[in-house]
Amino acid sequence: GATVAEHYRPRVSYYMREQAGNFHYGKQHPMKPHRLTLTNHLVLNYGLHKHMDVYEPRRATEDEIREFHAEDYIDFLKRVTPDNQAAMQACFSSFNIGDDCPIFDGMWDFCQIYSGASIEAARKLVSGAADIAVNWMGGLHHAKKYEPSGFCYVNDIVLAILQLLRYYPRVLYVDIDIHHGDGVQEAFYTTDRVMTCSFHKYNGDFFPGTGAIDEMGSGLGKFYAVNVPLQDGIDDRSYTQLFKTIMTAVMDTFKPGAIVLQCGADSLGCDRLGVFNLSIAAHGECVRFMRRFGVPLMVIGGGGYTIRNVARCWTYETGIVCGAELPSALPDTVYRDFFAPDYSLHPQLSGRVVNHNTRAYLNALTARILEQLRYLKG
Ligand code: VJV
Ligand code: CA
Ligand code: ZN
């Protein structure tokens, strides 16, 4: 099991509902809620529940979801089913339903479950009863006020940040999913109370197509959106160095009262949809780095499509937030076969990936972002 390695022992709240792992987006769809079940089994069998308060959160209510989403979009989500979707789409507009965001059985229930957990996690931080709150079910950063997008229907992150803003003057959002955190950025684009900062693959074509470095916010929010566009194959050293340099400057200038960290695991090497080359150790190093600031921290999931690695990554990161050290040999679970042949928390990455982010590119990127942040000073 886990052994405690650090002196700093934050109070950690962990949100999970067993049912969440049983939803299906559809055969062949890359988003697999089963990764949540795998994660949970590893977390429990490592004994990490002894280091946290584990909660089975309630569902978000319609009123709570209305704090961000439009009434008729919510009506649509609530009422549409695989059987009535043709008729529903004829009377409502189609709301961007399609291959990426299919109508599946229990979809609204799934939305209420993952969003309820993020809202509760945020309230737990506000109440002061936890220093860190973890919800691997959440992190669905693409959902918009009026429509679903990129596997995301309800934007639990926006809902959680709205809760945090009731108490904290400034909230920092950090997104290490390989995709741009467009839904969260858009929701807070014109305010200086939320800084959004996304690291992502960007070439104008990779989904969702936004997140260029010159998207910086507008009105009062000008300079409060930070975008870090990256190319294929970024490796551990480049990424962690870039992340730490930028986050140090962000923390120093923005001074948030709370941090929301979206930990999409599709930035890992070997991800089914991803093109980066990060190890679980490097991904986790970003979590460790944000934890060190000692600011109330919400840690949420997101993408991740090679599900054996998603479960490994989020388990490792659950250990990190607890300050626990996990032995590399995975504990036995009923899902042991997923982790063959190595049965290790830290599988070997493929050594054959080329890093298309040159030193010169990364240096120029860093310089531009540090310059953007200088406008916030004073
Ligand atoms: O690239 C796209 C959009 C298309 C249109 C729809 N087709 C299916 C794919 C191309 C332009 N969408 C992305 C969405 C990525 C969402 C990432 C979500 C997150 O990780 O950031 C947060 C949770 C995309 N990439 C790959 C796929 N869609 C994809 C979707 C499928 C699929 C295979 C690939 C949907 C159904 C099936 N296969 C059967
Ligand atoms: Ca991102
Ligand atoms: Zn993603």
Side-chain angles (χ1 to χ4, degrees), residues 179-182 185 189 198-204 206-216 226-230 361 365:
H179 299 97
H180 178 228
D182 59 346
Q185 173 177 296
Y189 207 59
S198 176
F199 295 76
H200 46 266
K201 151 90 180 181
Y202 178 80
N203 63 3
F206 192 74
F207 188 86
T210 50
I213 192 167
D214 56 4
E215 284 172 26
M216 292 189 296
V226 175
N227 281 298
V228 189
L230 300 167
Y361 175 76
L365 194 62

Side-chain angles (χ1 to χ4, degrees), residues 141-142 177-179 266 303 305:
H141 58 179
H142 298 306
D177 189 290
I178 197 171
H179 299 97
D266 47 7
Y305 305 99

Side-chain angles (χ1 to χ4, degrees), residues 66-86:
R66 241 199 309 272
E67 294 208 13
F68 176 55
H69 291 284
E71 184 106 42
D72 54 345
Y73 173 48
I74 295 173
D75 274 349
F76 174 79
L77 287 179
K78 248 173 62 188
R79 287 157 61 179
V80 73
T81 65
D83 296 327
N84 71 10
Q85 64 171 304

